[in-house]
Amino acid sequence: MKTQTYHTLLILFATLTLATSCTTNYKYKIGVSQCVGGRWRDKANIEMLSAQHLYDTDVKVIIKDADNSNKRQCQQIDSLVDEGVDLLVVSPNDYHALNGSLQRARNKNIPIVFYDRTTALNDYTAYIGGDNIEAGRKMAEYAIMLCRDSIKTEGRRPIVLEMTGPLEISPAAQRHKGFCEAISRYSDIDYHHVPSKWSYDDCKRIMRQWLKDGKTADVVFCHSDLAAVGAYEAAKELHKEREIRFLGIDGLPGEGIDAVQNGQLAASYIYPTHGEEVIALALRILEGKPYERTNNMKSFVITPQNVADISLSSNSLNKQNQHIATIQSKLETYLGFYNIQRTLLIVALLVIALLAVAVFATWRAVLATRRANRRMRELNDEQTRFFTNASHQLRTPLTLIAGPISQLAEGKGDSRQLIEIIQRNVEQLQRLVSDVLLFRRENRATIDDSTTTTDEQLIASQKSVQESRHDTLINGNSNELATILIVDDNADMRAYLRTLLLDRYYVIEAADGQSGLKLAVESVPDIVVSDVMMPVMDGLTFCTRLKQHEATSHIPVLLLTARSSEQQYIEGLQTGADMYMTKPFSADLLLANIASLLANRQKLRQLFKTQNLSSALPTTSQHSTLNTQHTPSPDRRFLDTFLKAMEKHMSNTNLKIEDLGDEVGLSRVQLYRKVKALTGMTPIELLRETRLKQAMTLLKTTDKTVSEIANEVGFATPGYFSSCFKKQYDKYPTDVREEMKV
């Protein structure tokens, strides 16, 4: 009953925990990484947020702004991946800097949609944004029209100046390409272009210097409206704003459209945002529907002739988007309240259920306690009555026995009759004693049945677990327990030792030193307990051979012997034995000595890690720094050989443990057991950790790429190398490089 109640409470608690952890569940989470803020980005973000509930699918859009920082954008992309987004929408800040983070996302099969800009990564899912080449071409055509129709140039060629954005950013490069290709077809136009930082201040500075140097221009084209307004303000300061026509791109309300209306700009190109189409494309990808990989959105030029209509329409659409965003925010708040209320209701119901179960269990426990107490009182009363009666009944036969004996001793009475009396009362006394013993057994059985049922079940359960563990060990799965090899020619002694050790260790046996040595080399146990006096091969020879063999030199040996002289004790230790005990011995002392030897072996493993794996790939001199007082010379030589083999073959991506075993002369099983015993790590774990530490050194001391370092330390793919590196150091190789730059 108690077990069932416990299980019921456990299930209800698990359900309660699950219910309280519930939050709003979205079918898809879309992460958006914007390279920078600004009015154009704000408009796009509002449109994407507004589109969350435009479709039948529940979507959560998470937007992060990198503020022109490559490092911050990489961190934000990594955090979005860690949050478990289903798709990434990325407007990259740099053409190359994000490739590492984006590749990690692709390695996790997360689709990537480039928005407005692209990077050097070719493994993306789709692109959506304005056609920047077309934008540059349209503005070039408008500039040519201004040169032909609006600008009077007497005695000189019209001059067109283009201020490009950073050409390592894809929109700037594409806009420049479209503008240059179109304008270059007209040889009668004097075309110039200068790079800028794509900002108001920088374009203003460039324009001011251009004019101060005595140069002139008829048309100035900047890659954004804000930059074009900066150039206009520089010309205005020098009173030349009426001589030059300024062109820009973006066409936003309150910025480019207003600049055309008030005459600062001769024209602007509406660079489309269409954030709702970005979300629509993302959903088509996530739901496995057909989609185009490249999605260029067309637009048109704003001129003084159409700017009034466009301004009216844009302001109206902008207000509608703001209203939708407000509705979206309120809807999210209401959904949050709804989920909180639903969670509280579930919690309340579960608490009521838990209280009901607790009350029922308490009531049952009270009833059981009352029954047990009542039964105990009844047993106590019955016991008191019984022993009171028994005391009385015992006095009669004792009297009838003691009396006749006294008479017989004095030679009085009928001896035959007295003897018969004694005999009858002896029988009576025997019956009384038997009744007392029977009552005691029945009483104990009754009490045990009523009060210790749980203890009996626990003992039976422990016995079942022990038997199951022994069956597991017999079937070959001995990884759970340390392995002890018993070597003794006396079968009764082996059986006695097996009885002592079987509950704590996995036990294997051999009847003499020769068979024990063969078994030790094959199985490589954790410790050996051996007799000294044995046929075929005695214990001292066995210990010497064991310590000399490459596969078994590290195994602690405890010798048991009937020889107790000091010289014999020294002789045993000189063979390499770690401990020496004389017969007869204490079972508790034997168990304590075995535990101590295994504990010392564990300390040696920790010493190896501290002195050899605290830095990058160890050198031979570092191998020799192991404390010679604790580490046997053969073990040190083996570790030197093994670590040199790893260093020699580290760059081999197809390296197998069998290859390292061949190098040091051990089988796979022998190598595994010996390396695990000496270092606490498997050969594969030790090789991987050594490779990663060497990689860390190369990252900090060389300018090699991550791919080159991964290949040099033996990783087949950079992706797998980065995954192992992150697991070991909780950071990616690219993070280390970024830290070195700071």
Side-chain angles (χ1 to χ4, degrees), residues 483-487 506-510 515-517 519-521 523 525-530 542 546:
T483 301
I484 294 186
L485 170 61
I486 298 174
V487 185
Y506 176 57
V507 179
I508 56 179
E509 303 172 19
S515 58
L517 181 62
L519 186 56
V521 171
S523 60
D526 295 289
I527 190 170
V528 173
V529 178
S530 174
F542 163 71
L546 190 76

Side-chain angles (χ1 to χ4, degrees), residues 407-419:
Q407 288 183 328
L408 289 173
E410 295 173 358
K412 301 177 180 178
D414 186 350
S415 60
R416 180 178 178 81
Q417 184 180 7
L418 291 174
I419 290 173

